Amino acid sequence: MFGNLSDRLIDTFKNLRSKGKLSAADIDATLREIRRALLEADVALDVVKTFTGAVRDRALGDEVSKALNPAQQVVQIVNEELVTILGGEQKKLSFAKKPPTVLMLAGLQGAGKTTLAGKLAKWLKDQGQTPVLVAADLQRPNAVNQLQVVGERVGVPVFAPEPGNGVGNPVKVAKEAIKHAEKKMFSVVIVDTAGRLGVDEELMQQAIDIRKAVDPDEVLFVVDSMLGQDAVNVAKAFDEGVGITGVVLTKLDGDARGGAALSVASVTGKPIVFASNGEGMDAFEPFYPDRMASRILDMGDILTLIEQTQKNFDEAEARAMAEKIAKDSFTLEDFMDQMQQLRKMGSLKSMLAMMPGAGQMRAQLDNFDEREIDRTEAIIRSMTPAERRQPKILNGSRRARIAKGSGMTVTDVNSLVNRFEQAAKMMKTVAKGGVPQVPGMPAMPGMGSFGGGKSKGKDKKKGSKSGNPAKRAAEEAARALGQNPNSAGSTGSGSAFGI
Amino acid sequence: MALMFWKKKRNEEVAPVVEPIAEVLIEQVIEPVVEIPAVDEVLAPVISEALVAVELPKRSAKKGIRSLFSRIKFDPENLDDLEDILIQADFGLDASVAIVDEVKLRAKKAGAESENQLKEVLATVLAESLERSDKALNLSAGKLPYVFLVVGVNGVGKTTTIGKLANWLTEGDWKVFIGAADTFRAAAVDQVATWAERAGATLVRPKQEGQDPASVAFESVEAAIKADADIVIIDTAGRLQNKIDLMGELDKIRRVIEKQAEISEVLLVLDATTGQNGLAQAKAFAEVAKVTGVVLTKLDGTAKGGIVFAIQKELGIPVKLVGVGEGINDFAFFDAQEFARGLVS
Ligand SMILES: Nc1nc2c(ncn2[C@@H]2O[C@H](COP(=O)(O)OP(=O)(O)O)[C@@H](O)[C@H]2O)c(=O)[nH]1
Ligand SMILES: [Mg+2]
């Protein structure tokens, strides 16, 4: 996400960083690049103008001319201004003093409200709340059913007195839902509403009426991160119409650069509260403006990565694995297990994309084929248990049999065994506390040079992210997966994503 | 005049235009929008036997297209502002610059100076660059059933578009099948079932929950062939174009269908509010699903869908349909003239 914007700024800053003093012309050239990058990222034109204006004013001022490293200072300013627009501090959901807390969702058609309602319900439930979902989208065909299915999936009750498909009054449903929640002692009420256009006066009035009926603690404006220039119009219409208190950004697992986030936040002045980034009911997290700004500047989003890893990587399994590695009994079976663990964490690619310096390797990343994992699995599945445990016994005829069984070539099998051996070796090194030497993989570019004032920047260093040896080993293994010299589209470095 | 398409001739039907093959052909020549199949290949042998040419009503998208100048006034003195206006309509920086350059060039040549003259130049430039000879739906090849595959990212309006399209065809007495191959999203089958019912089309459902979408697609085409249907439209789950496994699934769906029938259209549905990512979507889906046309939905909002300009230019994929609302009749064929005039009005 935000990927190519980062690449652009990094490119621009490369020139800045190398020079000493900055002229007004230098700054203007940079701003032109920033303007282009932001426009390509779908930041609304007016927002771009304000943004570059603010950066320019500050860049021409004392803080830059007096700075030891003026280029770095400009980067800092861009970063700060981005954070400011994205909402500064991380914003928490407001809860009512006297339950139930009421959350109302609003947005355009297809923004992802219903799916988000489910995620939000699950997230609240996991925190010990007792949420109820309210089906007040009576417009879109079978929106009510969809919410019911979603509710069932996350184990949260759904209040749906009307069938929908044009039947029923959403304002009435919303009003009844509050009474229902009070009676049944639900602590949070999540009201899903129909998608509507900003210019549809009738439906906007309906949204206002729903708001009046439920008196929500939060009105969350749900917005698709693929949204283009129209983001400003839509955000204005919803803010001035129904009145919003916060923003949720959806479909961030896509590759849209997500400039709409900047547009919406800057036009409404309302904080972005959550980021939704996948189809699973867990693919949802609080929105961190500073992380997002770091991401825009391609400083990587290590904190998110670490959290994701920790959530999904089973601790007990990790410990067992560490022991195995230390005892040198790491097998192909374990190798497969690890890949499945990585799978659980989400798309390998999106994980990799969160790492610092990822922008520079994005092109290669795009070439990395996640199906490689499927192929690897297919090969391992065609092995006998003995072969999996003792890869050493894999002679020519065994390899030929495995190739046939998995629909691959002997070359594929050979290269898998090679990669496994490499990974095993590397893991041992890591487990013993050393730094693995991966061919063609220089150290990740340090972030120190960006001089981010935040102390967090310090522990974001290097590609290695975990104090847990097994975890780190798994991460190294993920990289080793790319080390297939035969894989199509691989670059000179021999790595599928050429790190 | 109306578009001319070929569907099955049914026994009970009195064919409206059976007899004069020649006349039909002449009409098609006059109307460049229709793809003309090579006479010796399909048309001549098939038509007299089992096919009948039908007129389906032409539709207009006028109600959906809003002027570029509803918020910002057109300033004949400052053509560079035009660039900003196009950027704000999601044309993208490069396309906007190119269009303004072309407008300036032509204005100079023609001596256009007044607001009206310049707007005329702009409308012409836009219309010319958006015009495509291959923008008609491929319902004229004569090989039945036609198979349409509808693809796109989440929430863009695939299912709704299928409902509208199915209804338009059944109104013309076509026998329409819909394959519910979105087996992923919650209640997606119910949603498309509601649309099929509204449209009077036959729905082919998955046999079990979460069934492999490719097998549903296969069964849908199989059922359509068996029932002698004119067309089968396959709904698919929304997928983000950067998800390799899901894109691979689409490739599989396509290949499985092709075992039984030719696919006549792969329609990529694109939300008009989409920004520059629309181009990335079109690129990825074109590569995997071999997209033959774009459906631009939600033009009834404030968004202009300018990204289709780059999609047509860079990828050569024509826009074929537009969606202008949630109602069953809220769609139209893409008309470059109408679109350009609407934008500039
Ligand atoms: N205003 C408007 N809404 C549309 C249009 N087409 C679809 N929608 C709405 O967009 C939402 C998503 O549509 P759906 O067909 O479910 O999208 P899918 O996920 O791509 O199948 C629904 O609320 C539709 O009613 C259109 O042309 N205009
Ligand atoms: Mg759908």
Side-chain angles (χ1 to χ4, degrees):
Chain A
M1 69 178 84
F2 285 104
N4 299 310
L5 172 56
S6 325
D7 296 354
R8 263 245 129 71
L9 293 180
I10 290 287
D11 253 12
T12 313
F13 297 148
K14 230 184 261 155
N15 303 329
L16 271 187
R17 228 178 303 168
S18 52
K19 284 191 199 167
K21 271 215 165 340
L22 290 185
S23 65
D26 280 339
I27 291 171
D28 282 339
T30 312
L31 289 175
R32 259 198 305 281
E33 276 310 314
I34 292 175
R35 172 179 184 268
R36 166 175 274 275
L38 293 174
L39 285 175
E40 285 178 356
D42 288 321
V43 180
L45 185 62
D46 292 340
V47 177
V48 172
K49 286 181 176 167
T50 318
F51 182 84
T52 47
V55 172
R56 187 166 199 278
D57 286 348
R58 284 185 59 185
L60 288 172
D62 273 2
E63 61 181 317
V64 171
S65 59
K66 285 191 183 145
L68 276 178
N69 184 343
Q72 198 171 306
Q73 199 66 30
V74 175
V75 177
Q76 176 97 25
I77 292 171
V78 171
N79 184 40
E80 280 174 17
E81 293 292 327
L82 278 174
V83 173
T84 309
I85 295 184
L86 285 168
E89 300 275 286
Q90 190 208 328
K91 144 96 177 151
K92 292 225 159 55
L93 217 53
S94 320
F95 286 90
K97 287 210 183 72
K98 181 175 160 283
T101 295
V102 180
L103 310 175
M104 173 177 168
L105 306 181
L108 292 174
Q109 291 94 341
K113 289 175 293 301
T114 307
T115 308
L116 181 89
K119 292 181 181 184
L120 201 52
K122 172 156 199 309
W123 184 77
L124 288 163
K125 190 181 150 213
D126 288 348
Q127 292 181 358
Q129 299 282 352
T130 49
V132 60
L133 288 158
V134 180
D137 176 358
L138 305 177
Q139 180 103 353
R140 207 201 64 201
N142 300 82
V144 174
N145 302 24
Q146 191 192 345
L147 190 70
Q148 275 164 334
V149 174
V150 163
E152 205 167 295
R153 264 184 210 168
V154 298
V156 169
V158 179
F159 180 72
E162 295 285 359
N165 291 2
V167 179
N169 176 353
V171 183
K172 202 166 145 249
V173 168
K175 201 180 272 172
E176 284 167 11
I178 303 298
K179 278 194 212 121
H180 174 80
E182 282 167 352
K183 207 164 78 200
K184 297 264 157 100
M185 312 277 274
F186 286 110
S187 67
V188 185
V189 183
I190 303 167
V191 186
D192 183 26
T193 66
R196 62 201 80 228
L197 296 167
V199 283
D200 190 329
E201 281 169 24
E202 200 180 313
L203 283 180
M204 279 312 268
Q205 186 56 49
Q206 184 197 70
I208 295 168
D209 293 342
I210 295 177
R211 180 183 181 140
K212 278 187 192 142
V214 302
D215 187 23
D217 299 279
E218 297 271 9
V219 180
L220 298 176
F221 174 52
V222 182
V223 48
D224 188 322
S225 57
M226 291 180 271
L227 200 58
Q229 294 283 324
D230 201 40
V232 275
N233 302 327
V234 177
K236 245 185 239 158
F238 275 84
D239 199 26
E240 285 166 10
V242 62
I244 65 176
T245 62
V247 180
V248 181
L249 215 52
T250 63
K251 305 180 199 172
L252 271 170
D253 49 328
D255 58 8
R257 303 178 202 177
L262 283 172
S263 306
V264 172
S266 103
V267 162
T268 64
K270 302 290 155 52
I272 302 174
V273 193
F274 295 109
S276 176
N277 53 8
E279 299 200 53
M281 286 292 141
D282 275 322
F284 170 78
E285 59 186 22
F287 179 85
Y288 298 97
D290 56 337
R291 288 187 190 179
M292 194 56 86
S294 302
R295 204 171 208 143
I296 293 171
L297 294 176
D298 204 17
M299 290 162 75
D301 190 12
I302 289 306
L303 288 177
T304 307
L305 180 68
I306 289 173
E307 274 178 14
Q308 227 164 333
T309 314
Q310 279 168 345
K311 202 158 88 197
N312 291 292
F313 204 103
D314 189 286
E315 281 300 327
E317 274 177 59
R319 216 169 301 122
M321 193 68 76
E323 272 163 28
K324 274 193 169 165
I325 293 168
K327 276 198 305 206
D328 204 8
S329 59
F330 183 66
T331 68
L332 273 161
E333 248 160 15
D334 303 324
F335 190 55
M336 193 159 80
D337 270 3
Q338 296 233 315
M339 278 187 305
Q340 280 156 354
Q341 288 274 6
L342 283 167
R343 265 274 165 82
K344 266 202 274 173
M345 291 180 214
S347 142
L348 198 54
K349 231 188 227 185
S350 66
M351 300 266 297
L352 287 166
M354 280 191 263
M355 306 206 306
Q360 280 124 331
M361 60 180 212
R362 193 157 286 110
Q364 288 101 319
L365 247 162
D366 281 340
N367 280 330
F368 173 66
D369 189 347
E370 219 146 315
R371 275 173 297 185
E372 187 69 23
I373 298 188
D374 295 335
R375 290 191 275 269
T376 305
E377 277 192 33
I379 294 176
I380 298 180
R381 281 189 204 290
S382 297
M383 295 178 181
T384 65
E387 287 165 348
R388 289 183 207 171
R389 279 192 294 271
Q390 292 168 273
K392 284 191 185 75
I393 64 172
L394 287 170
N395 58 19
S397 69
R398 282 176 189 265
R399 290 185 191 208
R401 191 206 77 237
I402 293 163
K404 204 160 160 238
S406 59
M408 305 282 154
T409 64
V410 174
T411 323
D412 292 329
V413 178
N414 289 343
S415 99
L416 167 71
V417 175
N418 286 342
R419 273 182 295 148
F420 164 74
E421 279 164 2
Q422 255 185 42
K425 212 186 301 166
M426 210 157 51
M427 287 177 162
K428 266 198 85 181
T429 323
V430 176
K432 286 182 188 145
V435 178
Q437 284 303 307
V438 182
M441 189 172 87
M444 292 291 174
M447 275 76 54
S449 58
F450 283 110
K454 303 247 153 61
S455 62
K456 265 183 219 153
K458 292 281 181 282
D459 38 50
K460 284 188 193 171
K461 274 214 183 116
K462 295 269 177 184
S464 196
K465 303 135 291 277
S466 177
N468 180 329
K471 228 180 265 182
R472 263 162 72 199
E475 287 154 13
E476 299 303 342
R479 291 198 197 133
L481 280 175
Q483 301 274 319
N484 179 0
N486 302 317
S487 75
S490 71
T491 51
S493 69
S495 153
F497 33 88
I499 331 173
Chain B
M1 65 158 263
L3 299 170
M4 199 60 77
F5 299 117
W6 299 106
K7 72 178 205 65
K8 280 239 165 66
K9 179 178 161 191
R10 305 200 190 282
N11 291 340
E12 70 275 15
E13 237 159 24
V14 191
V17 218
V18 205
E19 171 246 310
I21 295 169
E23 192 187 294
V24 171
L25 282 173
I26 288 163
E27 280 196 356
Q28 288 189 331
V29 174
I30 301 167
E31 174 55 271
V33 196
V34 175
E35 289 176 8
I36 307 166
V39 181
D40 49 344
E41 272 175 35
V42 247
L43 262 187
V46 194
I47 296 164
S48 51
E49 301 270 322
L51 293 194
V52 57
V54 278
E55 289 184 13
L56 285 162
K58 195 169 166 9
R59 286 151 178 272
S60 153
K62 272 209 189 79
K63 89 169 221 208
I65 305 162
R66 273 157 215 274
S67 170
L68 290 171
F69 306 105
S70 52
R71 278 163 211 270
I72 313 154
K73 288 284 149 279
F74 185 88
D75 178 7
E77 297 298 311
N78 198 353
L79 280 180
D80 287 327
D81 284 356
L82 203 52
E83 188 184 305
D84 284 3
I85 290 169
L86 291 167
I87 288 173
Q88 285 171 301
D90 291 315
F91 278 79
L93 189 53
D94 294 335
S96 302
V97 171
I99 294 169
V100 173
D101 284 350
E102 181 68 21
V103 168
K104 280 184 184 165
L105 196 79
R106 291 210 200 176
K108 202 168 158 199
K109 253 194 214 155
E113 277 172 356
S114 72
E115 175 175 341
N116 280 345
Q117 287 170 329
L118 288 169
K119 276 187 169 177
E120 185 59 35
V121 173
L122 174 62
T124 313
V125 168
L126 288 176
E128 276 177 21
S129 25
L130 287 168
E131 186 57 53
R132 301 264 314 207
S133 58
D134 55 355
K135 69 177 178 196
L137 284 179
N138 180 13
L139 292 171
S140 335
K143 265 200 188 157
L144 270 62
Y146 299 112
V147 181
F148 280 22
L149 182 62
V150 180
V151 302
V153 301
N154 315 64
V156 285
K158 292 177 292 299
T159 307
T160 310
T161 299
I162 290 171
K164 294 170 180 176
L165 200 55
N167 185 63
W168 172 67
L169 290 164
T170 54
E171 272 179 4
D173 275 336
W174 288 52
K175 191 167 185 180
V176 182
F177 270 53
I178 296 176
D182 178 356
T183 56
F184 182 81
R185 205 190 74 181
V189 176
D190 299 331
Q191 187 193 354
V192 74
T194 301
W195 277 111
E197 197 186 307
R198 284 182 189 172
T202 306
L203 185 76
V204 182
R205 289 173 173 272
K207 290 208 179 74
Q208 62 221 7
E209 213 179 307
Q211 187 180 333
D212 174 19
S215 75
V216 180
F218 185 87
E219 286 163 12
S220 306
V221 175
E222 192 177 48
I225 293 172
K226 213 185 235 166
D228 215 20
D230 293 303
I231 181 167
V232 51
I233 311 175
I234 313 286
D235 190 17
T236 62
R239 65 200 75 225
L240 295 175
Q241 73 277 6
N242 60 335
K243 307 226 160 152
I244 292 176
D245 354 355
L246 293 180
M247 294 304 275
E249 181 185 277
L250 207 53
D251 178 54
K252 186 174 164 199
I253 293 176
R254 196 178 46 75
R255 281 186 287 113
V256 157
I257 295 174
E258 279 171 345
K259 281 188 186 152
Q260 300 184 79
E262 228 167 76
I263 300 183
S264 17
E265 290 279 4
V266 179
L267 296 175
L268 171 69
V269 182
L270 198 81
D271 185 327
T273 60
T274 312
Q276 302 306 299
N277 192 245
L279 190 59
Q281 290 173 26
K283 241 179 222 160
F285 279 99
E287 201 182 302
V288 176
K290 313 229 181 328
V291 173
T292 56
V294 167
V295 182
L296 187 62
T297 59
K298 309 190 193 174
L299 267 180
D300 46 328
T302 35
K304 306 288 186 301
I307 191 63
V308 295
F309 184 91
I311 292 176
Q312 288 205 158
K313 271 258 138 62
E314 287 185 31
L315 306 175
I317 306 168
V319 182
K320 296 197 166 177
L321 298 172
V322 298
V324 288
E326 298 184 81
I328 203 160
N329 288 317
D330 293 335
F331 85 106
F333 302 105
F334 181 71
D335 179 335
Q337 277 288 343
E338 191 179 71
F339 189 70
R341 300 268 152 211
L343 285 180
V344 177
S345 66

